[in-house]
Amino acid sequence: MSLPHAILTALLEKPSSGLELTRRFDRSIGYFWSATHQQIYRELGRLEADGLIRTLPAEQPARGQKKSYEVLPAGRAELARWTAASQDPKPLRDVLLLRLRAAAVVGTAGLDSDLRRHLDLHRRQLAEYEAIERRDFPPDRDSPEDRLRHLVLRAGIDLETFWTQWLTHALKEFAELSAAEG
Amino acid sequence: MSLPHAILTALLEKPSSGLELTRRFDRSIGYFWSATHQQIYRELGRLEADGLIRTLPAEQPARGQKKSYEVLPAGRAELARWTAASQDPKPLRDVLLLRLRAAAVVGTAGLDSDLRRHLDLHRRQLAEYEAIERRDFPPDRDSPEDRLRHLVLRAGIDLETFWTQWLTHALKEFAELSAAEG
DNA sequence: ACGTGTTTTGCAACTAGTTGCATAAACTCT
DNA sequence: AGAGTTTATGCAACTAGTTGCAAAACACGT
């Protein structure tokens, strides 16, 4: 149950319409909590029904017509409560690792091209994060908010770094294994 | 759609009953693809209906009575197909990072005790993985299967290492932030 | 004013995972 | 033999995320 809180966070940073939120979920917030526009609209409806957000008064609501939302005090309170509440980390769930484990049983045929593709994707993502870091977090800016956001970005950078290194290592192992077979 | 393939892998490693599978999902396989016993039983039923596995002939099936499964050739073929098929990596989805981002807006009050708790959990998991590595992967053993399985375990170790380091860093930031406030 | 494409919103159906509970057999203790 | 516990299997309802599709408004050229 995190999507509503992701939306509340995004709306507190800046009141937005569904489409604007969707765009922002494709960049910043979506880097660690992705959501489709369908999810977002559905959730906006629920949040409004629950009295946590409201449409900005300026516009009349109609289908196909831009409608912006802002967070109500109850929404901010709920987000603060959720943020502070203890939550267990979710166990890792990764298809690629599963495929490797399966490959130990049924063979590695055809796997390494996809490994290479993943390596490429992770390298791109890493480059994107690093560009954001250079752009948004120059050494001088360090308000508390900036430091927290930088910390989150840092996690993204380190995770992508891990994947690129691990995939590089995996590909090397693959090369050695197939060389050994002949 | 990875649970059936996780089960096929586990059953190829060793034919098992639902409960035995559940136990193994709590250890090895479950470290990167967790599943409850309910999920497993449901999926075993589907796999059998699809002709990918069958109950070992020895035992007659009855509720509350042990029933072991083995993989049929069609199941092995399906697993090989799935392993080789290209799949996109899933975008990261992490509640803790989201909470940190929210904290940048609503404040960090109450968060750091949970950060400490997570750090502890990740340290334990790391220690567990390292113990498995010492036990199951001594330097001499390196059949192709062992090397692949070791690679997977290595990913687990490196990920847990990342989290412990990142959380340690995050806690330091928190300390500095609250010191700055007074 | 009219068709065509784009923006913005949204519903409905589907898939996968989670939670709660049930039922039967087997074992254990008296 | 009977009561209570553990083992093993499983159904049903719920929750969250995904996929497919479409309607209403708007924008633009003709």
Side-chain angles (χ1 to χ4, degrees):
Chain A
M1 261 241 322
S2 302
L3 179 58
H5 301 98
I7 292 177
L8 287 172
T9 304
L11 286 181
L12 278 171
E13 288 172 353
K14 177 169 166 15
S16 311
S17 68
L19 189 67
E20 282 163 346
L21 278 177
T22 302
R23 299 242 164 85
R24 290 169 60 200
F25 269 76
D26 286 342
R27 307 182 254 102
S28 64
I29 293 234
Y31 287 140
F32 48 92
W33 202 273
S34 60
T36 60
H37 68 105
Q38 290 93 334
Q39 273 179 284
I40 289 169
Y41 283 116
R42 179 167 50 184
E43 205 59 49
L44 282 170
R46 284 180 193 155
L47 286 166
E48 188 178 24
D50 292 352
L52 301 185
I53 63 174
R54 67 165 179 189
T55 60
L56 282 179
E59 297 122 45
Q60 78 287 24
R63 198 185 175 102
Q65 196 162 321
K66 202 160 166 173
K67 194 164 47 163
S68 281
Y69 293 89
E70 68 176 355
V71 178
L72 293 169
R76 176 181 280 266
E78 167 55 22
L79 184 60
R81 185 204 61 72
W82 176 83
T83 304
S86 166
Q87 268 184 275
D88 282 333
K90 287 225 143 184
L92 176 60
R93 193 167 273 216
D94 188 280
V95 180
L96 193 59
L97 296 178
L98 192 55
R99 283 167 71 195
L100 227 60
R101 176 86 175 227
V105 182
V106 298
T108 59
L111 222 169
D112 72 330
S113 71
D114 206 35
L115 248 50
R116 249 182 285 278
R117 194 174 64 89
H118 279 227
L119 176 55
D120 188 54
L121 290 170
H122 284 294
R123 279 194 180 133
R124 281 173 207 276
Q125 189 64 59
L126 177 56
E128 191 172 332
Y129 286 161
E130 283 172 339
I132 293 172
E133 187 177 42
R134 279 192 299 276
R135 190 192 64 206
D136 291 354
F137 302 101
D140 50 319
R141 291 184 62 208
D142 68 333
S143 69
E145 300 81 44
D146 280 333
R147 292 181 77 153
L148 286 173
R149 277 194 273 262
H150 193 176
L151 200 52
V152 173
L153 179 60
R154 210 56 238 177
I157 291 175
D158 291 350
L159 277 169
E160 295 300 335
T161 302
F162 153 73
W163 280 113
T164 57
Q165 286 175 354
W166 181 82
L167 282 164
T168 303
H169 179 57
L171 282 166
K172 202 189 297 172
E173 286 275 0
F174 267 53
E176 284 173 27
L177 284 178
S178 47
E181 286 167 18
Chain B
M1 258 243 319
S2 302
L3 179 58
H5 302 98
I7 291 178
L8 286 172
T9 304
L11 286 181
L12 278 171
E13 288 172 353
K14 177 172 166 11
S16 311
S17 68
L19 189 66
E20 282 163 347
L21 278 177
T22 303
R23 299 243 165 85
R24 292 169 60 200
F25 269 77
D26 287 342
R27 307 181 253 103
S28 62
I29 293 237
Y31 286 142
F32 48 90
W33 202 272
S34 60
T36 61
H37 68 103
Q38 290 92 335
Q39 273 179 283
I40 288 169
Y41 283 117
R42 181 168 45 183
E43 205 60 48
L44 283 171
R46 285 180 192 156
L47 286 167
E48 189 178 22
D50 292 351
L52 302 185
I53 63 174
R54 67 165 179 188
T55 59
L56 281 179
E59 295 122 44
Q60 78 287 24
R63 198 186 173 99
Q65 198 162 319
K66 201 161 167 173
K67 195 164 47 163
S68 281
Y69 293 90
E70 69 176 354
V71 178
L72 293 169
R76 176 182 280 267
E78 166 56 25
L79 184 60
R81 188 205 58 74
W82 176 83
T83 304
S86 167
Q87 269 185 274
D88 282 333
K90 287 225 141 184
L92 177 60
R93 191 168 275 215
D94 189 279
V95 180
L96 194 59
L97 295 178
L98 191 56
R99 284 167 70 195
L100 227 61
R101 176 86 175 227
V105 181
V106 298
T108 60
L111 222 168
D112 70 331
S113 71
D114 207 35
L115 250 49
R116 249 183 285 278
R117 195 173 65 88
H118 278 226
L119 176 55
D120 188 53
L121 291 170
H122 285 293
R123 279 191 178 135
R124 281 173 206 276
Q125 190 65 59
L126 177 56
E128 193 172 330
Y129 286 162
E130 284 173 338
I132 293 173
E133 187 178 41
R134 280 192 298 276
R135 191 192 64 205
D136 292 354
F137 302 101
D140 51 320
R141 291 184 62 206
D142 69 334
S143 70
E145 300 81 43
D146 280 335
R147 291 182 78 152
L148 286 172
R149 277 194 273 264
H150 193 176
L151 199 53
V152 173
L153 179 60
R154 210 56 238 175
I157 290 176
D158 290 350
L159 277 168
E160 293 301 336
T161 301
F162 153 73
W163 281 113
T164 57
Q165 286 175 353
W166 181 82
L167 282 164
T168 303
H169 179 57
L171 281 165
K172 203 189 295 172
E173 287 276 0
F174 267 53
E176 283 173 27
L177 284 177
S178 48
E181 286 165 16

